[in-house]
Amino acid sequence: MDPGHVAYGMRAGYGLGHVTPDTVIAWERGLATPDATELAALAGTLWCSPGDLMGAATTLREHRLARGLAPEDVARGAGVELQAYLRMEETGRWRGSPRQSADLARTLRLTLPDLVTVTGRADELAELLRSAVTTRWQGYTRPVSKLLAVDKRTVEGPLRRLHETYQSRMVRTLSWGGGASADASGHAGRDFLDRILDHFWPLLPDAS
C-alpha cells in the first residue's frame, strides 16, 4: 500500500477526513506522530495491532495504546477512577495500591520489569540493587521484595548471585596483569552498576 491507499483507507473506513497522503508520509519519516485515534485507525487499515506499529513501550500510555485499549478499559481493569488514571498516565507516575498495581499488570499484560518501569519505581529499585551488591546483600532482601511485591525467598538467590558477580568482576579487574589501575577497576564497577537492572532481571525467576 502506498501512502495514498493508507490515507484513503483511514478516511473511508474510520472517518478521519483530515488524513492525507502527506500525513502518512510525515508519520513514516518520523516528522509527526499519530494520536491515539489515528494510531488505532492506521493499525486497522494495515490489518495489524497498534503495538505492531510502535517501538518498545515504556510508559502507561504506550502500553495502553499497544494493547488497543481505551483509558476507561485500563482504569476499570485496575480498579481506579478514570480521572485519577488519566492524571497518572499524564504525569507518568503510578500511584495505585499493590492490589491495583497487580490488576494493572493483568489488564495491560505487563511483565514485572515493565510494571516496575511504568509505575516509576525503576530508579528506586536500581538504587537498592547498587547498595546490595556493594555492601551486604542480605539487608536488601526485604526492601527489594516489598518493592516488587514478591516473597523474600524469590529475591534472595538473585541478590546473592548479583552480589557475587559484581564482587568477582571487581576482583578480576584488580588482578589483571598483577594489578590493574584504580581507573580500570572503577570503570568496570561503574559500568556494572549503571546496568544493574539488566543484570538483575534475568536472575529473577518468572520475571515475565
Side-chain angles (χ1 to χ4, degrees):
M1 300 174 70
D2 64 28
H5 291 135
V6 175
Y8 174 79
M10 294 179 68
R11 291 196 304 269
Y14 298 91
L16 300 184
H18 64 282
V19 175
T20 67
D22 287 339
T23 306
V24 177
I25 290 172
W27 292 339
E28 290 178 344
R29 294 179 177 175
L31 302 176
T33 304
D35 62 23
T37 300
E38 293 165 340
L39 181 64
L42 179 60
T45 301
L46 296 176
W47 292 87
C48 65
S49 71
D52 292 332
L53 302 177
M54 301 170 62
T58 59
T59 66
L60 273 175
R61 180 176 183 273
E62 289 172 353
H63 279 285
R64 175 175 63 77
L65 292 177
R67 301 299 183 210
L69 297 173
E72 294 83 356
D73 299 327
V74 180
R76 183 170 53 254
V80 299
E81 295 292 331
L82 175 59
Q83 290 306 314
Y85 171 77
L86 290 173
R87 283 194 299 271
M88 291 187 282
E89 189 175 279
E90 181 179 351
T91 61
R93 184 68 180 179
W94 174 254
R95 300 186 183 279
S97 67
R99 173 62 181 274
Q100 290 169 329
S101 297
D103 289 340
L104 176 74
R106 281 192 291 271
T107 301
L108 292 177
R109 302 199 295 279
L110 301 174
T111 64
L112 187 53
D114 286 337
L115 179 62
V116 169
T117 298
V118 302
T119 54
R121 295 176 292 174
D123 289 343
E124 182 182 355
L125 175 60
E127 196 57 39
L128 288 173
L129 296 177
R130 292 186 188 105
S131 297
V133 301
T134 55
T135 58
R136 288 178 56 83
W137 64 266
Q138 293 89 340
Y140 292 89
T141 57
R142 182 177 179 82
V144 171
S145 65
K146 183 178 180 181
L147 187 149
L148 297 177
V150 299
D151 188 89
K152 283 176 57 177
R153 290 170 294 185
T154 302
V155 302
E156 286 176 349
L159 286 182
R160 183 184 67 252
R161 290 193 293 274
L162 197 67
H163 180 272
E164 292 171 350
T165 300
Y166 175 76
Q167 295 297 329
S168 65
R169 178 171 298 195
M170 296 300 289
V171 169
R172 285 198 308 272
T173 304
L174 288 171
S175 65
W176 284 344
S181 69
D183 286 345
S185 176
H187 178 74
R190 285 192 300 272
D191 179 66
F192 187 92
L193 295 177
D194 286 343
R195 300 177 56 244
I196 193 73
L197 292 177
D198 294 333
H199 296 296
F200 174 69
W201 290 126
L203 299 175
L204 191 70
D206 300 325
S208 60

